Amino acid sequence: MPKAGAAQAARVTIRPHRSYRTLRVSRVSWLGSAVTLPIGVLLAYAALLVLWPRATAWMSALLAQSTPITRNVPDNFLFIASTVPIPNLPPLSVFGALDVAGLCAAAILLAGFYAKKNAPLPLWIIGNLIVLLITALWAFFEGRAGYDGPTYMLLLERTSVIMILCSPIFAVVVAALLPFTLLERVTLFTLLIALDFFMSVLRLAVFALILTHTGVILETNLYLFLGPLIDVVYFIAVYSLVVVSLSRRLARTEDAWEWL
Amino acid sequence: MVVALNAWLTVVIALMSIYTIRHWVFTFSRVYGKQRMSFSDAYEEHPPSVTVLVPMHNEEKVAEACLDALLASEYPKDQLEIVAIDDQSADATNDILHAYIERHPQVKILTMAGPERGKANALNVALESVQSDFVLVFDADYTPGRGLIRTLINAFVDPEVGAVMGRVVPRNTSRSLLTRLLSMERAGGYQVDQQARYNFNLLPQYGGTVGGFRRRMLAELGGFDPHALAEDTELTAKIFQHGWKIVYDNRAECYEEVPEAWESRFKQLRRWSRGHNRVLWSHLFGLVTAPVLTIPQRIDAALLMLCYAVPPILLSGWLAAIALFLLGRLPYVGGVTLAFAVVLYNAFGNFAPVYQVATAEVLDGSTTRLLLLPYLFYMFPFNTWAITTGFIDAVGDIVKSRRGRWDKTARVGNAP
């Protein structure tokens, strides 16, 4: 004879279908969103004011030691001081550009062949090769392409500053869609700003190093392809980590849901 | 030159921003807003007669599973007619169907003979002999659940409803990275996007694979365009222009086989883009000027019709940015905004930005799968290029007044 407790434990819980559920409106969560927006932007700005000058100065000094052909110049953008490494770009060889264009065309054909079987990765490569091909042809016909070293690095540095300042805004807008806890919001913001900060400094150094050896021919790829890609990937990676945490919590919390 | 490039870049960024805001509002509505529901249990006592059409072309791997699922339906057998349309299959589909009807005489076969081929044409021919008031259409790789027909048919209790659409759920999700990513895209597109458009009384789309329509309405609208490659989008446009409604029923789930190979997915996307952009050309003006539609519905119509034109527009924005960069005239803010526009729009999959997919998966109860979200970005050049090639095909079709060719999506036919 089954015990009463066992019968109770075996009670069937009828759950409505997943299409019938929404999330309970959490005023606390929305208030959290509203509050974290100005706080996030202010924190990002404060971090830039305090840490950006030191980080860029340290990175530039390190780069100047290891790469003698790099020099450093100060910049001040939105009252944020920085030291920007300026690579001495090798002079543009017009016929070298033609060689690059030819190599790119051949590589595009090769990658196009493989793109049929395993499309996304070859397409990423082809996309970059096309940009490189355009840049090389432009350099061949115009004798120049893109920016000189100082202007390019300043563009890159200022773009990074704007990205760091904007990332909290996008984090808040995206986070407003789901009932994150304060801890999850703080985690999202902290990881995002810290990674953004670290990756931006690293990007300045790596791009300067690359351009020291390759010259202007790679500027377009680095600025319009690889740069945004780095930002996108870690933004979504951090977001997905926090969303997994949220989803696991919601799965355990009955009263988080409303059923239609 | 520089002014023109900057102006175009601004237009592209503005368009991306509009789509971003639209998807954000849709997501917010699905999560926290009032959800609009279709009728349920309306035909409990006297269910109407229904004809289910299953167009097939080279479906030997999936044909039986689909018909088995339809026969297992709990819908009254005397009110249900199932017609499998063999549209000139070159594989064993026809033999399989004939063997099948020997075992299950309640299933009918319609064998199409040339010269025309294509889903829209096959449906038109099949509809000539249909007597039921309501017609449901499933693709052959779909396996409808036992209660699906009844769930869908309830929508027609409202006499203004011309068509109904259910939710598509991949059943081979665990097969590969591609199928997992497509499953996430589908979740965002249906659980959030379609439901939100229905919530706001905008334009939920009749999808043509798990849905149905009122036979009388289709006759009034002149049937399907036999040369349409996206007969579902074309019907959606005609339905709304003529004042009928489409119901989206999120509960009406049907399970499909998504492509497991990138090549197959590329062809599918390219065909969708080609068909959709041909409909854009022929119906955009009619939709945005339709007197029966409200202003928000017209705006939604324009954004819906343009969705397969956006990737080539985005590509043109990239080219403008590259040109400005090479000229040394890319504005600081312009470059950053472009990057953000790309990030925010579909960088992460074409029809569902990352936050929309994430929200749909949270609503569906997914957890660890959400770690795949960054991989949606991996699809970006793939989707953009597949859709752009379809767009170019459509432009060629329009300029040369040529008919499109129906490229079949390859089936695998494995159970999950």
Side-chain angles (χ1 to χ4, degrees):
Chain A
M1 188 175 166
K3 293 177 184 174
Q8 200 169 8
R11 186 181 60 190
V12 177
T13 306
I14 299 172
R15 285 171 178 273
H17 191 265
R18 60 186 177 180
S19 59
Y20 292 146
R21 67 180 182 180
T22 60
L23 284 161
R24 200 176 290 281
V25 174
S26 165
R27 288 193 173 79
V28 175
S29 181
W30 281 358
L31 189 66
S33 265
V35 170
T36 44
L37 178 59
I39 292 176
V41 176
L42 282 174
L43 276 177
Y45 191 63
L48 281 168
L49 279 175
V50 176
L51 298 175
W52 189 251
R54 294 178 193 179
T56 52
W58 174 78
M59 175 271 295
S60 299
L62 201 65
L63 205 62
Q65 279 176 11
S66 57
T67 316
I69 48 175
T70 301
R71 64 196 165 87
N72 300 324
V73 298
D75 185 38
N76 197 312
F77 179 59
L78 300 175
F79 306 107
I80 298 161
S82 62
T83 309
V84 183
I86 308 294
N88 285 332
L89 301 182
L92 179 70
S93 157
V94 173
F95 289 102
L98 196 61
D99 289 344
V100 171
L103 282 173
C104 282
I108 287 167
L109 287 175
L110 192 67
F113 176 75
Y114 285 105
K116 284 188 174 177
K117 289 184 178 170
N118 184 13
L121 189 58
L123 279 174
W124 272 110
I125 295 167
I126 289 171
N128 270 286
L129 287 171
I130 288 172
V131 176
L132 192 55
L133 175 68
I134 294 171
T135 310
L137 288 175
W138 189 288
F140 178 73
F141 287 110
E142 294 290 319
R144 59 177 290 278
Y147 298 85
D148 57 30
T151 316
Y152 178 81
M153 291 310 293
L154 284 175
L155 177 71
L156 193 63
E157 189 262 333
R158 291 177 179 194
T159 302
S160 296
V161 168
I162 295 174
M163 292 286 248
I164 293 168
L165 284 174
C166 287
S167 58
I169 299 170
F170 290 104
V172 166
V173 170
V174 169
L177 292 166
L178 291 166
F180 291 106
T181 61
L182 186 62
L183 181 64
E184 285 161 345
R185 277 176 209 285
V186 169
T187 308
L188 178 66
F189 270 75
T190 310
L191 278 177
L192 207 57
I193 293 174
L195 260 177
D196 213 351
F197 198 95
F198 173 75
M199 295 301 285
S200 295
V201 174
L202 187 68
R203 181 166 46 196
L204 276 175
V206 172
F207 283 13
L209 213 54
I210 291 172
L211 292 179
T212 303
H213 297 288
T214 62
V216 295
I217 209 89
L218 270 180
E219 276 186 356
T220 325
N221 289 71
L222 294 178
Y223 187 78
L224 287 174
F225 253 95
L226 194 58
L229 179 68
I230 292 169
D231 286 316
V232 171
V233 170
Y234 71 66
F235 185 98
I236 307 173
V238 171
Y239 174 68
S240 66
L241 283 174
V242 185
V243 172
V244 168
S245 157
L246 166 99
S247 193
R248 285 188 177 144
R249 178 170 55 77
L250 291 177
R252 296 190 304 266
T253 318
E254 291 283 327
D255 62 358
W257 301 97
E258 282 193 345
W259 302 92
L260 305 172
Chain B
M1 175 77 165
V2 172
V3 173
L5 286 169
N6 267 314
W8 181 242
L9 194 55
T10 308
V11 169
V12 174
I13 290 165
L15 187 64
M16 299 303 145
S17 304
I18 289 168
Y19 273 99
T20 303
I21 293 165
R22 174 180 184 254
H23 284 291
W24 192 90
V25 172
F26 282 0
T27 309
F28 195 86
S29 161
R30 177 61 189 93
V31 178
Y32 297 113
K34 190 173 169 57
Q35 307 301 304
R36 201 169 156 217
M37 308 294 284
S38 178
F39 291 96
S40 59
D41 307 327
Y43 287 125
E44 197 67 35
E45 291 298 319
H46 303 288
S49 69
V50 177
T51 296
V52 177
L53 301 179
V54 188
M56 299 183 179
H57 174 73
N58 296 343
E59 304 285 9
E60 62 182 6
K61 291 180 179 167
V62 291
E64 282 199 57
C66 178
L67 295 174
D68 283 345
L70 285 167
L71 283 177
S73 167
E74 63 182 26
Y75 205 76
K77 298 290 179 274
D78 58 332
Q79 295 291 74
L80 181 63
E81 180 187 39
I82 300 169
V83 182
I85 311 167
D86 176 29
D87 188 12
Q88 304 173 57
S89 296
D91 64 356
T93 303
N94 199 267
D95 296 337
I96 289 169
L97 289 178
H98 278 93
Y100 195 88
I101 59 164
E102 285 193 8
R103 299 196 306 273
H104 305 285
Q106 59 271 50
V107 176
K108 296 174 184 169
I109 300 180
L110 174 66
T111 304
M112 300 288 295
E116 297 286 351
R117 192 175 77 73
K119 186 176 172 183
N121 180 61
L123 289 173
N124 278 341
V125 174
L127 282 164
E128 288 172 9
S129 53
V130 168
Q131 297 299 316
S132 310
D133 290 336
F134 307 113
V135 180
L136 298 184
V137 180
F138 296 105
D139 275 359
D141 61 315
Y142 280 60
T143 43
R146 285 166 53 81
L148 183 68
I149 295 175
R150 190 185 288 274
T151 308
L152 286 171
I153 223 71
N154 280 324
F156 294 112
V157 164
D158 181 348
E160 294 177 6
V161 169
V164 61
M165 179 65 194
R167 179 180 171 183
V168 177
V169 179
R171 66 164 184 266
N172 56 339
T173 302
S174 58
R175 287 283 168 193
S176 64
L177 176 65
L178 172 63
T179 54
R180 287 171 200 274
L181 296 177
L182 289 178
S183 175
M184 295 172 88
E185 268 190 12
R186 294 281 197 281
Y190 286 93
Q191 173 72 290
V192 173
D193 198 87
Q194 281 271 59
Q195 179 62 47
R197 287 195 343 235
Y198 189 52
N199 289 347
F200 285 124
N201 194 24
L202 298 173
L203 271 63
Q205 198 175 354
Y206 166 71
T209 49
V210 44
F213 47 83
R214 200 180 285 273
R215 189 168 59 89
R216 179 173 63 83
M217 176 209 69
L218 192 72
E220 278 177 20
L221 301 181
F224 290 104
D225 173 359
H227 307 303
L229 291 177
E231 86 294 337
D232 44 3
T233 309
E234 194 237 355
L235 182 60
T236 303
K238 288 203 286 194
I239 286 173
F240 283 111
Q241 283 177 82
H242 288 82
W244 290 89
K245 292 178 187 170
I246 295 176
V247 163
Y248 172 68
D249 193 336
N250 202 26
R251 174 68 183 85
E253 289 185 358
C254 192
Y255 307 96
E256 68 151 346
E257 178 189 290
V258 287
E260 295 184 9
W262 290 102
E263 192 176 1
S264 178
R265 173 61 177 163
F266 191 93
K267 279 186 182 172
Q268 185 185 50
L269 256 184
R270 183 175 180 170
R271 173 166 54 81
W272 287 355
S273 171
R274 184 179 191 172
H276 193 101
N277 282 308
R278 283 159 53 133
V279 178
L280 162 74
W281 176 256
S282 53
H283 287 283
L284 178 63
F285 183 75
L287 273 168
V288 296
T289 57
V292 291
L293 297 181
T294 62
I295 298 289
Q297 285 175 329
R298 291 182 204 191
I299 293 169
D300 191 48
L303 293 172
L304 175 67
M305 287 288 117
L306 278 169
C307 72
Y308 277 94
V310 165
I313 293 172
L314 180 62
L315 264 186
S316 72
W318 269 109
L319 288 175
I322 289 169
L324 283 167
F325 188 91
L326 291 172
L327 286 164
R329 302 292 290 272
L330 190 72
Y332 289 124
V333 179
V336 174
T337 319
L338 176 79
F340 267 120
V342 173
V343 169
L344 284 173
Y345 176 61
N346 268 331
F348 340 112
N350 265 315
F351 310 106
V354 69
Y355 50 80
Q356 187 170 312
V357 173
T359 306
E361 291 288 347
V362 168
L363 286 169
D364 278 351
S366 304
T367 50
T368 314
R369 187 193 294 179
L370 285 156
L371 291 171
L372 288 176
L373 283 172
Y375 283 93
L376 287 174
F377 189 67
Y378 182 58
M379 305 248 279
F380 175 56
F382 177 82
N383 288 343
T384 305
W385 185 237
I387 291 173
T388 301
T389 51
F391 178 85
I392 294 166
D393 292 338
V395 172
D397 291 346
I398 293 159
V399 171
K400 296 179 181 173
S401 301
R402 70 183 178 203
R403 295 174 184 175
R405 192 170 62 86
W406 185 277
D407 280 321
K408 174 88 181 69
T409 303
R411 309 284 188 220
V412 177
N414 293 323

